[in-house]
Amino acid sequence: MKRILIGIVGAIMSLTLLGAATALWGMKELETFANRPLMLEQARELELNRGTNARALGKELVEQGLLEGSWHYDWYLRLNPAMAGIRQGLYEITPGDTVKSLLEKLISGKVKDFAITLVEGQTLREWQAKLETAPRLNWDADVFHKVLKANGDDSGLPEGKFFPDTYSYPANQDVETLLTQSYLKMQQELAAAWQVRAPDLPLASAYELLILASIIEKETGKAEERPLIAAVFINRLRKGMRLQTDPTVIYGMGTRFNGNITRKDLREDTPFNTYRIQGLPPTPIAAPGREALMAAAQPAQSDYLYFVSRNDGSHVFSRTLAEHNRAVNQFQRKQK
């Protein structure tokens, strides 16, 4: 009887040890599975719709060839129930991602971000062409005016009031959200520039500073010249001289501009033809960046009244019309 009891106890111990060994093997198998890279050679998108659960995700990964079908995935979720709390959204899977790292990404809600750069010196028409074709961004044809109205601006004049920068957004975001950021940022930057403006500038408001900054932005080929270009325009405004700047003429021509300005264009009466009007045009002609705003607020101390392009992005600055005409003869007329 004693021998039988000893045998039974031995058998139980052997089964217990076998079970422990099997459990340990299973845990190692699941750990190896969870940390094995998905079958992926290049980055791709993974979109989780509302209601998609972690088990359904496993089937989808198998169907897409990212994961081999086996018992491991379901058992990994059973033993790690916290990994089942995935969130909807558009995600990016990259080579090297594992089941564990992917689930952690989906739990954290770290959705794929997109980015778009709204370039300084461009018009809203140019921005619109870019925004309309931006991936995963919901476009609204009247969005610029909607943003203005939503922020208490009833002017109906959106040009120049949005700050050029790089903006990130998640998939399927409304463009109004993005442009609201841009609008508020411009309000902040413009207010900061207006606050530190030089004394006795011939500008009646922050909006006039914005208009001038947009012209400076369009005239600048080299960043270091912005304060000097600003000084020329400020000096001309003080003396009651016309600004006579080509970018305003081009803006006034709209889609008629084909790359050249004719004498007829310079004689045309438009609100933006600064060869014909006194002072500033009625609105900005592009989106100025921070440096152009600060140049308009703090122009260089200079008595220059003219500048002409050297055709390399830089300019020759002159104090008198005679000096200016010599520079024009040297750098412009001889080029034609």
Side-chain angles (χ1 to χ4, degrees):
M1 184 69 177
K2 186 176 181 180
R3 288 181 179 179
I4 293 173
L5 289 173
I6 291 172
I8 292 173
V9 170
I12 292 172
M13 290 180 65
S14 296
L15 289 171
T16 301
L17 291 172
L18 179 62
T22 301
L24 181 61
W25 172 84
M27 293 296 290
K28 288 184 177 180
E29 270 285 296
L30 290 178
E31 183 179 355
T32 299
F33 164 80
N35 289 288
R36 184 182 301 135
L38 298 172
M39 294 182 287
L40 183 68
E41 295 183 356
Q42 60 184 12
R44 61 188 292 184
E45 293 178 350
L46 174 68
E47 186 163 19
L48 296 187
N49 298 315
R50 185 184 297 275
T52 301
N53 59 42
R55 293 192 183 280
L57 170 65
K59 293 179 181 179
E60 184 176 343
L61 293 176
V62 171
E63 290 173 359
Q64 293 186 19
L66 300 173
L67 190 67
E68 290 183 352
S70 68
W71 58 271
H72 296 80
Y73 183 84
D74 285 344
W75 270 99
Y76 182 71
L77 289 181
R78 288 185 188 182
L79 296 178
N80 298 275
M83 289 293 192
I86 60 177
R87 300 164 63 180
Q88 72 177 73
L90 182 73
Y91 298 86
E92 185 171 62
I93 314 177
T94 57
D97 269 339
T98 64
V99 168
K100 182 179 180 181
S101 69
L102 175 60
L103 289 173
E104 288 174 343
K105 187 185 298 184
L106 304 185
I107 291 169
S108 70
K110 292 181 180 177
V111 295
K112 179 179 179 179
D113 276 335
F114 297 82
I116 186 168
T117 299
L118 302 178
V119 180
E120 64 269 14
Q122 291 187 342
T123 64
L124 291 187
R125 187 175 71 246
E126 291 172 304
W127 281 10
Q128 177 174 331
K130 192 169 189 178
L131 289 164
E132 282 182 322
T133 57
R136 299 278 186 164
L137 185 63
N138 297 328
W139 172 250
D140 181 339
D142 198 35
V143 66
F144 295 110
H145 291 92
K146 285 183 177 178
V147 172
L148 259 60
K149 288 183 180 179
N151 287 278
D153 185 338
D154 296 321
S155 68
L157 302 172
E159 191 73 81
K161 293 180 180 177
F162 295 81
F163 193 76
D165 205 347
T166 297
Y167 296 91
S168 297
Y169 62 93
N172 305 318
Q173 178 176 282
D174 291 335
V175 69
E176 185 173 350
T177 301
L178 185 151
L179 287 176
T180 297
Q181 296 177 49
S182 177
Y183 175 84
L184 294 176
K185 189 173 177 69
M186 178 58 87
Q187 296 305 299
Q188 179 182 352
E189 295 290 345
L190 179 58
W194 184 246
Q195 185 69 30
V196 299
R197 69 190 183 280
D200 302 324
L201 288 181
L203 302 173
S205 66
Y207 188 59
E208 288 195 355
L209 188 146
L210 182 65
I211 294 172
L212 178 58
S214 74
I215 299 172
I216 294 167
E217 190 70 75
K218 292 296 290 184
E219 285 283 16
T220 305
K222 290 186 178 293
E224 63 271 19
E225 289 188 352
R226 285 192 183 99
L228 279 176
I229 288 175
V232 169
F233 291 134
I234 289 294
N235 291 339
R236 293 177 77 91
L237 287 172
R238 283 183 174 138
K239 289 179 176 292
M241 299 172 66
R242 292 173 180 168
L243 296 186
Q244 296 182 322
T245 171
D246 291 354
T248 62
V249 178
I250 292 169
Y251 185 84
M253 293 172 65
T255 56
R256 291 189 294 112
F257 179 65
N258 60 7
N260 294 304
I261 300 177
T262 66
R263 290 187 178 181
K264 180 181 177 182
D265 296 326
L266 296 179
R267 290 193 299 268
E268 184 180 9
D269 284 319
T270 77
F272 292 88
N273 186 351
T274 52
Y275 286 85
R276 303 286 291 175
I277 67 170
Q278 294 293 139
L280 294 165
T283 75
I285 60 170
R290 182 181 295 110
E291 292 77 10
L293 289 168
M294 289 307 300
Q298 298 179 352
Q301 294 296 314
S302 167
D303 55 357
Y304 289 133
L305 291 171
Y306 306 90
F307 61 84
V308 65
S309 173
R310 287 193 178 95
N311 301 305
D312 62 358
S314 67
H315 296 86
V316 177
F317 293 85
S318 304
R319 294 174 177 83
T320 68
L321 182 58
E323 290 177 356
H324 176 63
N325 286 335
R326 286 196 293 270
V328 170
N329 285 331
Q330 181 178 356
F331 292 101
Q332 293 298 314
R333 291 183 181 142
K334 288 183 179 180
Q335 301 294 323
K336 298 179 180 179

